[in-house]
Amino acid sequence: MAAHLKKRVYEEFSKVVQIPHEETPAKKLRLSKPSKSAALHIDLCKATNSTDALQYLLQFARKPVEAESVEGVVRILLEHYYKETDNSVRLKIASLLGLLSKTEGFSPDCIVDDAINTINSEKSHQVLAQLLDTLLLIGTQLPESPSLRQRLIEVACKHLSDTHFGVRNKCLQLLGCLGIVDTVLNKDSEGPGTSIGRRLDVSLLTAGGVRDVQSIISDYFGDQDPRVRTAALKAMLQLHERGMKIHQIIYDQACRLLADDYEQVRSAAVQMVWVLSLLYPESIVPIPSSNEEIRLVDDAFGKISHMVSDGSWMVRVQAAKTLGSMLLVSPHFLEQTLDKKLMSDLRRKRTAHERAKELFASGEFSSGRKWADDAPKEKLDTNTVNLIASGACGAFVHGLEDEMFEVRIAAVEALCQLARSSPSFAEKCLDFLVDMFNDEIEEVRLQSIHVLREISTHITLREDQLDTVLAVLEDSSRDIREALHELLCYTNVSTKECIQLALLELLKNLNKYPSDRNSVWKCLKFLGSRHPTLVLPLVPELLSTHPYFDTPEPDMDDPAYIAVLVLVFNAAKSCPTMPALFSDHTFRHYAYLRDSLSHLVPPLRLPGRKQVHGLDSANSGCASSSVEAAQLFLQQSLNRISTIQNLETPGAQDLLIFTIRDLQRLGELQTELAGAADFCATYLRCQLLLMKALQEKLWNMAVPLCLKQNVTATSAAQQILEETYKLEFMYSGLESRQVATIHHVRLQAKALQLILSARTRQGLDPLISSCEKFLQDVESFQRLFLTELPHLQDSFVEKLLELFPRLSSCKPVELVKILQTTLRQSGLLQLRLPEQIHRATANIIEPTGESDNPLRFTSGLVVALDIDATLEHVQDPQTTVKVQVLYPDGQSHVIHPKPGDFRRPGPNRHRLITQVYLSHSAWTEPSQIEVRLLLAYSSSSTSLSSSSMASKLVWSDSSDSLPPAEASVEGTIPFSKTVKVYIMPKPARR
């Protein structure tokens, strides 16, 4: 009994109480960097001479400095500056002060007083100029401080009398960037800048003691150093760019500087005169040595026209470019630039009354007894009575005949700008532009063709002019020939002989350069539609018809005959009497071409034949209404999808399928909405795939019982990822909300992949890494689209962000379960379309893939395959477009074209003309290779905001504050149809 009691006592006092173990929180290591100011102080103290100090400063300039350390670094630099005697070291310190003032997050107003004090005590001109540059940087960093700006202006005015040109240059630059027109500099001004204001140079003050910034700058238009004169003009132009109105009194000074000895001064003076002509175009200015007065814009135009004959080609280029923007000039001044002789309407003429008065004043008529008794009493200088300087006559003629091709290009472009605003001037300059087609430089010829194309609505070519234009078709440059084809599309000609001449030359071009086939056909299409009445009398000759005899039927495989038919059929659209001249085989050929080349042959109302109505036969007046109806249908389709949450799964899938089909058909019918319709259809296809992958049957069964469904869901997730990359990179015009929606779908696909991998794969380590990567993707999404999160209510990502603290701390298996539940409960995110969406498209013109003749070459060697393709709405094609070649044995080659292979014929349009080199081992028989274009993408290009955010945090003290960056995903998307080409590598001869 005692033993039992003893045992019970021991049991009572030996209870094991398990105290829950509290995990001590892990201490985070804070990786602090050594102070930049302390390190710099140590380095400068170690320097034994100025060379070592300069080396330390150069090394320090290569390292970034965090905003918190800038003030300490500035103090160390200033302390060393006061002790340093070497000018080069002080110059570098002054430069570093300016660089440090631009550090983000640092306010440079705390170093203004020190910088001004160092300027007052500095003796070196180079260091003084650098210190003024530092003050300029500080002033631009603090634009909202008027008192600081006034102090800096007064410092600049004080040192304007410095003997060194560099100091004066920096002072003028500071006045131009910080000066205020309304601010006056008073000798008796009060305030923080009083001591500086009282030391202003007397030459800067008028009798009243008040000067504005413009008058101070204009005083230095006559400086002895040309670099200072240039800086003064540029400072005045800087004031104009900042929105200040330049005083008209500056005009006379700027005109005098047009005759300066230095080209930099003359170039800036041309710009100054042009600015004043824009500000005061209707002001009246007198002509020197005359009683005449003219408008300021006409006077400026004449003076700048004179500069087209300047000795410096750079001034001539600027003068020619400037003339093109002076659209308010009078017509007779404008026309004088095309004639080297002074026109009579620009010469001062005396009236009959003035001539009679002079005769009366002489007292008698000439008797002839005295030699030269009727000679004029004074010798008149022709330059003093002209309204425009004789050197300015024929300015564009001089520019177009200049020895430098840059001047000729500038003159051609200026003619284009002026001719577009003046139809009469366009007709007068036509001969000069046509003559430029024979220029020796290809770039000049090409620019002349483009200019004539832009003013083609104002002109009609004569036969002699057309002959000169068509001579360019012999040019070996493909760009020149295609530009000329484009010009002929929009040019008006005067006679039927011009049409015949153009057709003959285009057929010669087609025969000499067969690769121009499509361009020539397109040119003849527009030529026929613009001149139906001129083509009508040529039809019997063009089609080789006879009123009594049957003529042989031409070969439909002849590109020249197709070119003639394209011309005739497009003319017949606007000429109802023309089909009566067609023969029977012409009607058959029309039906064939209407099907095979529908983009070149229009629908015609032929006698006795039923017209087939297509999309292009619709009334053009209904085009806008049809587009509006299509937009309404598109929006209604998207609104109908928003009700999908109320439907069962089979009904929801059927609704998505039918809507996708309707949107695809809408894109085919309405080309204006093709991009938006395809974008919506692709997005809904992603939702359909996601819905099918999340079916009940897949998730309520054990994994071994639904292996086939798992494979289907895995392929669906991969396909969704591919489609999201297409949505993001193949469509332009997307807003941030659409990009956020695309990334949301991509995040759902990644979650589906994570769930499927957890169900099918064994092992914990791969699952842990996959979960960590997914959480990084969620963080990246939140960081990139923080502003768009309010628009993603009740979405998958919003629920994830609410559960994110729990997801970060839970185990991988629990995270997968949460993801599965959240993914199946999330609904469809409504898509909102922007104003305009365009899809990147590519069309391979050459090779056509129609030839049965194989391209033969020796195995081991290479053969060149010409590629000609048109690209539309492709962003940066030089870096994103690639050519892929697929061989029958499975080999694939990807070729990156050179940047020079891309042309830009119009906005959002590019042309790729390149060569692809093929090589392979010997084959026993010909086979086909596949050629297509790829669009390369990189997901890092969309993470600009994250990269900029990371760059701001590079100098932060804690390394764990940086968010993990999303892994960059690179790939390619096929965006053209595949073209098949027969090739035959044959064995080499032994």
Side-chain angles (χ1 to χ4, degrees):
M1 186 67 182
H4 181 65
L5 289 174
K6 186 177 180 181
K7 183 178 180 181
R8 288 185 60 185
V9 171
Y10 277 120
E11 285 177 355
E12 290 178 2
F13 289 97
S14 63
K15 282 186 178 179
V16 178
V17 180
Q18 186 173 0
I19 301 174
H21 178 68
E22 295 183 359
E23 295 184 1
T24 56
K27 294 182 179 180
K28 290 186 178 181
L29 293 177
R30 180 181 176 85
L31 301 178
S32 60
K33 300 178 182 178
S35 173
K36 295 284 184 180
S37 56
L40 179 63
H41 180 68
I42 294 172
D43 289 339
L44 292 177
C45 289
K46 289 192 298 184
T48 56
N49 51 37
S50 58
T51 304
D52 293 341
L54 187 60
Q55 289 297 326
Y56 287 129
L57 291 173
L58 290 173
Q59 293 174 8
F60 176 77
R62 302 188 189 102
K63 302 174 183 178
V65 181
E66 56 273 11
E68 295 80 4
S69 305
V70 171
E71 190 169 355
V73 170
V74 168
R75 296 301 164 202
I76 296 297
L77 289 174
L78 288 172
E79 181 182 344
H80 191 78
Y81 177 91
Y82 292 124
K83 296 187 297 184
E84 183 61 50
T85 58
D86 189 83
N87 289 340
S88 59
V89 178
R90 296 206 309 278
L91 181 68
K92 185 59 183 176
I93 292 176
S95 174
L96 285 175
L97 290 176
L99 292 175
L100 290 170
S101 67
K102 295 192 296 184
T103 304
E104 192 166 353
F106 171 70
S107 180
D109 53 355
C110 59
I111 62 174
V112 173
D113 293 333
D114 296 302
I116 293 177
N117 291 334
T118 55
I119 287 178
N120 294 331
S121 60
E122 183 57 54
K123 303 300 181 184
S124 171
H125 296 297
Q126 288 86 355
V127 180
L128 187 58
Q130 185 60 54
L131 287 170
L132 287 168
D133 188 64
T134 299
L135 285 183
L136 175 61
L137 291 174
I138 294 174
T140 53
Q141 295 292 319
L142 300 171
E144 299 173 355
S145 177
S147 58
L148 172 64
R149 179 172 294 192
Q150 182 67 21
R151 288 184 64 192
L152 297 182
I153 291 174
E154 291 175 349
V155 170
C157 292
K158 173 189 174 183
H159 291 89
L160 273 173
S161 58
D162 195 280
T163 57
H164 192 264
F165 76 93
V167 177
R168 300 202 298 276
N169 280 0
K170 291 298 179 182
C171 290
L172 290 169
Q173 187 179 357
L174 197 147
L175 288 175
C177 293
L178 303 178
I180 303 174
V181 174
D182 297 333
T183 302
V184 294
L185 303 178
N186 196 331
K187 187 174 182 180
D188 300 323
S189 59
E190 298 295 334
T194 301
S195 59
I196 299 175
R198 287 173 180 163
R199 291 194 296 268
L200 287 177
D201 192 82
V202 178
S203 62
L204 297 177
L205 301 171
T206 59
V210 175
R211 296 290 302 276
D212 67 359
V213 176
Q214 287 192 36
S215 61
I216 293 174
I217 294 176
S218 63
D219 286 345
Y220 288 84
F221 286 172
D223 193 273
Q224 62 182 358
D225 195 296
R227 291 164 291 192
V228 178
R229 298 197 293 272
T230 305
L233 285 167
K234 290 183 177 179
M236 195 70 75
L237 291 172
Q238 184 69 27
L239 291 177
H240 169 71
E241 291 176 3
R242 292 172 52 213
M244 301 180 186
K245 192 170 184 178
I246 307 301
H247 299 157
Q248 186 179 348
I249 196 174
I250 304 294
Y251 179 73
D252 292 335
Q253 297 173 295
C255 290
R256 286 194 294 270
L257 290 175
L258 291 174
D260 199 273
D261 293 337
Y262 293 87
E263 64 175 287
Q264 292 88 354
V265 180
R266 298 197 301 273
S267 178
V270 167
Q271 193 74 9
M272 191 74 250
V273 170
W274 172 73
V275 165
L276 289 166
S277 72
L278 295 180
L279 294 175
Y280 308 98
E282 301 299 330
S283 297
I284 303 300
V285 295
I287 298 177
S289 305
S290 172
N291 295 327
E292 297 293 324
E293 293 180 341
I294 58 174
R295 298 162 65 225
L296 188 146
V297 65
D298 294 335
D299 188 59
F301 186 81
K303 287 180 167 55
I304 296 177
S305 297
H306 183 70
M307 301 306 293
V308 177
S309 304
D310 192 84
S312 168
W313 70 270
M314 297 180 65
V315 176
R316 299 200 298 271
V317 168
Q318 185 171 10
K321 288 182 177 180
T322 305
L323 288 178
S325 58
M326 302 181 72
L327 304 179
L328 299 177
V329 68
S330 302
H332 52 279
F333 279 87
L334 197 58
E335 293 165 5
Q336 179 62 67
T337 57
L338 300 176
D339 193 348
K340 292 184 180 180
K341 294 181 181 179
L342 187 64
M343 296 180 182
S344 60
D345 57 352
L346 290 180
R347 190 178 290 120
R348 172 73 170 87
K349 296 183 290 290
R350 292 181 302 167
T351 63
H353 180 72
E354 290 174 338
R355 291 196 299 269
K357 182 179 179 182
E358 183 181 0
L359 184 63
F360 178 77
S362 64
E364 60 180 355
F365 291 99
S366 175
S367 63
R369 294 180 180 179
K370 297 180 181 179
W371 176 255
D373 59 348
D374 58 346
K377 294 181 175 57
E378 57 178 350
K379 186 176 180 181
L380 297 179
D381 186 3
T382 57
N383 286 334
T384 63
V385 296
N386 293 341
L387 302 185
I388 184 172
S390 60
C393 299
F396 282 125
V397 180
H398 293 298
L400 296 175
E401 296 174 352
D402 199 275
E403 61 179 351
M404 304 297 292
F405 79 94
E406 293 90 350
V407 181
R408 300 200 296 274
I409 289 178
V412 166
E413 292 175 348
L415 276 177
C416 172
Q417 296 179 27
L418 294 171
R420 279 187 299 185
S421 60
S422 174
S424 61
F425 184 70
E427 294 179 3
K428 290 180 172 62
C429 70
L430 179 58
D431 286 325
F432 298 95
L433 288 175
V434 171
D435 287 341
M436 297 306 293
F437 284 18
N438 299 320
D439 196 272
E440 60 187 12
I441 302 297
E442 178 181 338
E443 189 177 351
V444 179
R445 298 197 300 271
L446 190 60
Q447 188 63 33
S448 303
I449 295 172
H450 289 322
V451 164
L452 204 58
R453 155 73 182 87
E454 292 187 31
I455 65 173
S456 58
T457 54
H458 302 313
I459 60 176
T460 299
L461 289 179
R462 301 189 309 270
E463 189 171 352
D464 58 321
Q465 294 170 337
L466 183 64
D467 196 14
T468 305
V469 169
L470 293 174
V472 185
L473 290 174
E474 299 289 332
D475 201 296
S476 59
S477 170
R478 184 169 186 166
D479 293 334
I480 294 286
R481 297 196 307 271
E482 291 189 350
L484 192 65
H485 296 158
E486 189 79 13
L487 167 64
L488 292 176
C489 288
Y490 300 98
T491 301
N492 298 316
V493 296
S494 54
T495 62
K496 66 183 181 63
E497 285 77 14
C498 293
I499 294 290
Q500 198 167 15
L501 178 63
L503 179 61
L504 290 176
E505 292 297 328
L506 287 170
L507 293 180
K508 287 181 184 178
N509 175 23
L510 188 60
N511 185 41
K512 187 174 182 179
Y513 301 103
S515 59
D516 292 351
R517 181 180 64 179
N518 290 284
S519 183
V520 169
W521 287 351
K522 178 187 173 185
C523 173
L524 288 171
K525 170 190 173 182
F526 285 93
L527 202 62
S529 61
R530 293 178 71 90
H531 307 91
T533 56
L534 299 181
V535 175
L536 178 61
L538 298 174
V539 169
E541 182 181 354
L542 296 179
L543 298 181
S544 302
T545 58
H546 194 275
Y548 307 116
F549 303 107
D550 286 337
T551 55
E553 182 176 349
D555 183 13
M556 278 302 296
D557 293 332
D558 184 8
Y561 177 62
I562 295 177
V564 173
L565 289 181
V566 168
L567 173 72
V568 172
F569 290 152
N570 281 278
K573 184 179 180 182
S574 303
C575 187
T577 60
M578 193 178 295
L581 303 175
F582 294 171
S583 57
D584 290 338
H585 61 259
T586 306
F587 292 112
R588 295 196 303 270
H589 295 170
Y590 166 76
Y592 171 75
L593 291 179
R594 181 73 186 119
D595 291 335
S596 59
L597 298 174
S598 59
H599 62 289
L600 295 174
V601 179
L604 300 178
R605 296 184 179 274
L606 301 179
R609 286 171 171 80
K610 185 178 179 181
Q611 186 179 10
V612 179
H613 292 275
L615 290 174
D616 48 4
S617 64
N619 189 2
S620 59
C622 302
S624 59
S625 61
S626 63
V627 172
E628 292 176 0
Q631 288 177 339
L632 181 60
F633 176 79
L634 178 61
Q635 192 59 47
Q636 287 175 350
S637 300
L638 294 179
N639 295 338
R640 194 183 309 118
I641 291 298
S642 61
T643 63
I644 202 172
Q645 311 290 349
N646 306 326
L647 300 176
E648 297 292 334
T649 301
Q653 292 184 10
D654 291 340
L655 178 60
L656 284 174
I657 292 172
F658 293 144
T659 307
I660 291 170
R661 183 197 62 186
D662 293 343
L663 292 177
Q664 289 174 341
R665 182 60 178 157
L666 178 65
E668 296 172 2
L669 295 175
Q670 285 291 343
T671 55
E672 295 88 351
L673 297 177
D678 291 342
F679 181 83
C680 296
T682 307
Y683 174 75
L684 295 180
R685 193 179 303 113
C686 293
Q687 297 294 339
L688 180 61
L689 290 170
L690 188 63
M691 188 178 295
K692 288 182 177 179
L694 296 175
Q695 291 178 359
E696 293 283 343
K697 182 171 65 174
L698 175 63
W699 308 99
N700 294 336
M701 296 173 62
V703 175
L705 299 179
C706 56
L707 292 177
K708 184 178 180 181
Q709 286 82 356
N710 270 304
V711 172
T712 305
T714 304
S715 63
Q718 184 62 33
Q719 189 176 352
I720 292 172
L721 285 178
E722 295 174 358
E723 295 289 345
T724 57
Y725 287 118
K726 287 183 182 179
L727 288 172
E728 185 174 2
F729 297 104
M730 280 191 66
Y731 295 88
S732 58
L734 299 180
E735 299 173 355
S736 59
R737 185 177 299 186
Q738 286 80 44
V739 178
T741 306
I742 294 169
H743 279 251
H744 179 267
V745 178
R746 188 178 302 161
L747 201 62
Q748 288 179 305
K750 290 180 179 179
L752 180 60
Q753 281 185 332
L754 176 59
I755 297 169
L756 292 172
S757 63
R759 284 167 59 89
T760 55
R761 294 182 183 176
Q762 301 294 329
L764 190 60
D765 292 338
L767 183 59
I768 293 176
S769 61
S770 299
C771 292
E772 290 177 352
K773 187 176 183 306
F774 179 79
L775 292 177
Q776 290 181 3
D777 292 339
V778 176
E779 287 183 351
S780 176
F781 183 93
Q782 184 183 15
R783 189 171 65 250
L784 285 173
F785 305 107
L786 187 62
T787 58
E788 299 298 330
L789 290 179
H791 304 293
L792 303 177
Q793 295 179 357
D794 299 330
S795 62
F796 172 70
V797 71
E798 187 188 37
K799 296 176 181 177
L800 284 185
L801 293 176
E802 291 176 357
L803 299 171
F804 196 77
R806 180 181 172 188
L807 295 176
S808 304
S809 58
C810 69
K811 295 181 179 180
V813 178
E814 186 181 354
L815 184 144
V816 170
K817 290 182 180 179
I818 296 174
L819 280 183
Q820 179 177 335
T821 306
T822 308
L823 187 60
R824 295 185 62 191
Q825 291 177 352
S826 60
L828 185 142
L829 189 61
Q830 182 69 16
L831 180 65
R832 189 181 70 87
L833 286 178
E835 292 295 329
Q836 197 73 27
I837 293 182
H838 297 288
R839 178 177 177 175
T841 57
N843 180 31
I844 299 178
I845 303 173
E846 294 287 342
T848 59
E850 300 172 352
S851 176
D852 295 332
N853 297 324
L855 192 62
R856 301 180 183 272
F857 61 97
T858 304
S859 63
L861 301 180
V862 296
V863 64
L865 178 66
D866 292 324
I867 302 291
D868 183 3
T870 57
L871 314 174
E872 292 189 2
H873 303 291
V874 179
Q875 307 293 327
D876 194 16
Q878 288 84 357
T879 57
T880 57
V881 176
K882 302 178 186 297
V883 182
Q884 185 184 39
V885 180
L886 298 171
Y887 291 92
D889 58 354
Q891 293 187 34
S892 174
H893 293 171
V894 177
I895 300 96
H896 195 117
K898 301 188 296 292
D901 294 338
F902 293 91
R903 282 87 167 166
R904 189 176 181 182
N908 298 321
R909 291 180 57 213
H910 291 85
R911 182 84 175 272
L912 172 61
I913 302 176
T914 186
Q915 282 188 330
V916 173
Y917 295 101
L918 310 176
S919 181
H920 209 279
S921 56
W923 295 354
T924 56
E925 60 183 19
S927 187
Q928 290 179 335
I929 62 169
E930 296 182 353
V931 180
R932 61 180 180 178
L933 297 183
L934 303 178
L935 188 69
Y937 66 86
S938 174
S939 63
S940 61
S941 60
T942 62
S943 305
L944 297 177
S945 58
S946 64
S947 62
S948 62
M949 184 183 299
S951 64
K952 295 177 185 177
L953 300 172
V954 166
W955 294 348
S956 61
D957 291 336
S958 177
S959 63
D960 59 355
S961 63
L962 283 175
E966 183 183 6
S968 174
V969 178
E970 296 181 354
T972 55
I973 305 170
F975 74 120
S976 74
K977 293 183 179 179
T978 300
V979 176
K980 296 182 178 181
V981 181
Y982 265 109
I983 66 170
M984 176 57 187
K986 54 187 179 181
R989 294 181 179 180
R990 298 292 181 184

